[in-house]
Amino acid sequence: MQKKVNLSDYNPATVPDGSDYRIAIVVAEWNPEITDALLQGAYDTLLQHGVQEANIKVLHVPGSYELTTGADIALSDPRCDAAICLGCVIQGETRHFDFICEAVSQGLTNLSLKRERPVIFGLLTTNDMQQARERSGGKHGNKGTEGAVTALKMIHLNRQRQ
Ligand code: RBF
């Protein structure tokens, strides 16, 4: 089996067609150089897999901590099939890093179960800006792309719910 360098090297044939999917992308404004690149990766990947531009809604929130509320607002529309959440938290001197990462990961998990729809965790949590760049279109791929692929696969799975 071929060794995966990163999950952005996915096989397009395994991704469901998204032509009747409605997807929200919720993106944090902190570290915009990174989050803009994640957004671009997610958006382009959804288009490549048939999602119609009119069915992609982009919501901006101030920081990663607000991703959960932003996704909840997006999913308050019952026609919205999934929310892809994108943000970047760089580890600093303070414990804010841990608080934000913990709150977002718990928040998104709980929201997905509450709304019974996929909520995708596309939050980069890196030691420095260099690592963030490598994961938003650099040598470790683009986590926005991976978030979009995950959303398409999870919507397909969710539509099999009894
Ligand atoms: N938001 C991010 O998306 N990435 C960060 O790296 C980040 N660092 C923060 C550091 C501190 C000390 C504080 C107070 C906030 C930070 N935020 C960051 C913003 C946070 O996600 C949220 O928008 C604010 O705390 C307001 O709820």
Side-chain angles (χ1 to χ4, degrees), residues 22-75:
R22 289 173 181 267
I23 301 178
I25 306 176
V26 188
V27 53
E29 289 169 349
W30 266 69
N31 302 308
E33 171 198 338
I34 304 299
T35 59
D36 286 352
L38 294 173
L39 172 59
Q40 193 73 59
Y43 201 93
D44 291 349
T45 304
L46 294 180
L47 292 181
Q48 276 162 25
H49 290 283
V51 184
Q52 296 169 46
E53 224 165 336
N55 291 338
I56 306 173
K57 190 171 180 180
V58 179
L59 287 81
H60 291 275
V61 294
S64 294
Y65 187 77
E66 284 73 41
L67 286 171
T68 306
T69 308
D72 192 41
I73 292 165
L75 292 172

Side-chain angles (χ1 to χ4, degrees), residues 67-123:
L67 286 171
T68 306
T69 308
D72 192 41
I73 292 165
L75 292 172
S76 67
D77 179 346
R79 298 170 306 165
C80 182
D81 289 297
I84 300 168
C85 299
L86 304 173
C88 172
V89 189
I90 311 272
Q91 184 148 31
E93 298 293 307
T94 70
R95 292 182 59 207
H96 278 87
F97 178 84
D98 297 317
F99 289 133
I100 294 174
C101 298
E102 180 70 17
V104 177
S105 63
Q106 283 297 320
L108 299 187
T109 301
N110 293 340
L111 178 64
S112 180
L113 297 175
K114 181 180 93 168
R115 293 285 189 185
E116 297 191 336
R117 273 165 285 167
V119 177
I120 308 305
F121 184 87
L123 180 67

Side-chain angles (χ1 to χ4, degrees), residues 121-155:
F121 184 87
L123 180 67
L124 291 183
T125 57
T126 61
N127 292 328
D128 53 42
M129 194 51 104
Q130 175 64 21
Q131 286 184 346
R133 288 196 186 104
E134 288 169 359
R135 289 159 179 76
S136 55
K139 69 176 177 186
H140 292 300
N142 187 320
K143 298 294 164 192
T145 298
E146 294 173 33
V149 170
T150 305
L152 294 164
K153 289 183 173 178
M154 289 305 296
I155 292 168

